[in-house]
Amino acid sequence: MSGSSQTPYSLLSNQRRSGEQRPSNKRGPSGGWSRLKTPNIDSLEVYGYPSKGETKLNDPKAQESLYNKIVERYMKFCASSSSGDELDKQFASLSLSSTSPLATPSPPAPPPSRASRSGSNASNAPPSHSVELATILTALRKLREAIVATARRDVFAQRVYIFNIHAAILCKEWESYAPALISLLTKIHSQSPLPAPELHEFVGFWILDLACRQSDIMAAYTVKTQFKHEDRRVGLVLKALAHDNWVLFWKMRRAVDGYQRRIMEFADTGMRLHALKCLGRSYMTADRAYVERCTDRKWVDLVKDGVGWELAESEKIVIRRPKVK
């Protein structure tokens, strides 16, 4: 090998001895050719929870901006349903647990396969109704926490709480509407008084929640007396619950408005179980139509709930059979 020839290793050592810089292998910024795209962040998910350290929502203007976005998304969500019945189903579908203790919980749906996930371009698909509604309720919770953190009790806070309570009642999210309802009536109302019709409405919600969801009839009557609340339908609901009068209860559930009816649904299971027990102790057989009127539920749904009675060909329901001696 000639003396002028050098191996790569000798060249490397010569460069190190001479202090020459090694060529850098680092790539410069690729700019517009980068494959990493900026993720699309939902405008309702920009902020975190104030209870976990978020401070950006302490700004009153940020609170009002978020509220306007929430209302806009909520109105679009309601307009996306073709009918009132479909919209009611969308609100009811958000409930994560069954309200009937007789019902057997269904197993969770299996996750989609890898092929279906890759072929269905899930990133560009619009969110489902339940996901959209959950996003709206989560944003409302963040906004409510920000109002609590800033001790805001003005007309804006009143408006936010009213909107939050209405939306959460339709979804039967008592974890959201119950604390908001108490704060509205006991804290915000003292500084920003509610108009008489709205005060009457929300006191009625509180009374029904105490009676139907919490099964505290005494507390419901206490609130009724404290606020001097006079509403014939709410009073009859309390009477029906106090006397286990399922006929009156079902009648009043059809007479109240949509918000009151949704709160009354918390007491449906208990009233229906009481009616079934009374039928089981009183009758050997009963007409199908009569059983459905007493329970305010179709026979097919009662069977799904776990009722073990038998339906004969003559539309008679066999509740008990005579004991054979």
Side-chain angles (χ1 to χ4, degrees):
M1 181 179 296
S2 62
S4 61
S5 62
Q6 293 181 339
T7 64
Y9 298 101
S10 61
L11 288 173
L12 180 61
S13 60
N14 291 336
Q15 290 178 358
R16 289 178 177 176
R17 286 194 298 269
S18 61
E20 296 178 7
Q21 297 294 330
R22 297 176 55 189
S24 175
N25 292 327
K26 295 182 179 180
R27 295 181 179 179
S30 56
W33 294 98
S34 175
R35 292 184 298 175
L36 299 178
K37 297 181 180 180
T38 304
N40 294 326
I41 301 177
D42 195 320
S43 59
L44 298 186
E45 297 178 348
V46 174
Y47 302 102
Y49 288 98
S51 59
K52 296 182 179 180
E54 176 65 79
T55 58
K56 295 179 181 178
L57 277 177
N58 291 344
D59 183 8
K61 293 184 179 179
Q63 295 176 6
E64 295 169 9
S65 175
L66 179 60
Y67 174 71
N68 292 333
K69 294 176 182 178
I70 291 173
V71 173
E72 181 182 359
R73 289 278 288 273
Y74 182 82
M75 297 304 294
K76 289 181 179 179
F77 168 80
C78 295
S80 63
S81 299
S82 58
S83 63
D85 293 338
E86 181 183 349
L87 181 61
D88 188 67
K89 292 179 181 179
Q90 297 296 339
F91 282 112
S93 66
L94 193 64
S95 179
L96 300 180
S97 59
S98 174
T99 57
S100 174
L102 298 175
T104 303
S106 58
S113 62
R114 182 177 301 178
S116 62
R117 288 197 298 265
S118 59
S120 61
N121 197 7
S123 60
N124 295 329
S128 63
H129 287 281
S130 59
V131 173
E132 177 70 2
L133 192 54
T135 302
I136 294 173
L137 291 177
T138 301
L140 277 171
R141 177 186 170 184
K142 296 175 183 177
L143 181 57
R144 197 176 72 246
E145 287 185 2
I147 291 176
V148 173
T150 55
R152 192 170 180 177
R153 298 178 182 178
D154 55 0
V155 177
F156 171 77
Q158 180 190 104
R159 189 164 67 250
V160 170
Y161 273 63
I162 288 175
F163 184 87
N164 180 90
I165 292 168
H166 279 150
I169 285 177
L170 291 178
C171 299
K172 292 183 68 175
E173 288 285 334
W174 66 267
E175 300 92 339
S176 180
Y177 78 72
L181 186 59
I182 295 174
S183 296
L184 177 66
L185 295 174
T186 61
K187 296 180 181 179
I188 298 178
H189 176 62
S190 61
Q191 296 190 15
S192 300
L194 289 163
E198 293 184 347
L199 177 62
H200 182 270
E201 177 187 14
F202 289 98
V203 170
F205 291 164
W206 192 6
I207 293 172
L208 290 177
D209 182 74
L210 288 169
C212 298
R213 182 180 66 84
Q214 304 182 47
S215 301
D216 195 341
I217 305 295
M218 183 69 70
Y221 275 108
T222 301
V223 172
K224 186 176 185 296
T225 304
Q226 175 185 353
F227 286 90
K228 299 179 181 180
H229 186 268
E230 296 295 334
D231 189 320
R232 177 179 174 274
R233 292 174 297 182
V234 173
L236 289 176
V237 172
L238 295 181
K239 181 180 178 180
L241 291 171
H243 296 278
D244 291 325
N245 187 341
W246 67 78
V247 177
L248 179 60
F249 183 82
W250 303 135
K251 180 180 178 181
M252 296 315 303
R253 205 184 65 151
R254 290 188 290 269
V256 298
D257 62 33
Y259 297 109
Q260 294 172 326
R261 185 180 305 111
R262 188 67 81 182
I263 298 176
M264 288 181 65
E265 289 179 3
F266 285 106
D268 282 1
T269 299
M271 191 63 71
R272 185 171 293 113
L273 285 174
H274 179 72
L276 289 170
K277 290 179 181 179
C278 291
L279 292 175
R281 294 171 182 172
S282 304
Y283 298 95
M284 302 289 287
T285 60
D287 292 335
R288 173 178 177 174
Y290 177 69
V291 173
E292 291 178 345
R293 287 198 304 271
C294 290
T295 59
D296 195 47
R297 199 162 178 84
K298 296 296 183 181
W299 169 249
V300 178
D301 297 325
L302 289 174
V303 173
K304 292 180 180 179
D305 289 344
V307 175
W309 299 342
E310 299 177 12
L311 178 63
E313 295 180 357
S314 58
E315 291 296 308
K316 289 279 188 179
I317 294 177
V318 179
I319 300 175
R320 291 179 297 163
R321 295 186 180 276
K323 295 182 180 179
V324 179
K325 296 184 179 179

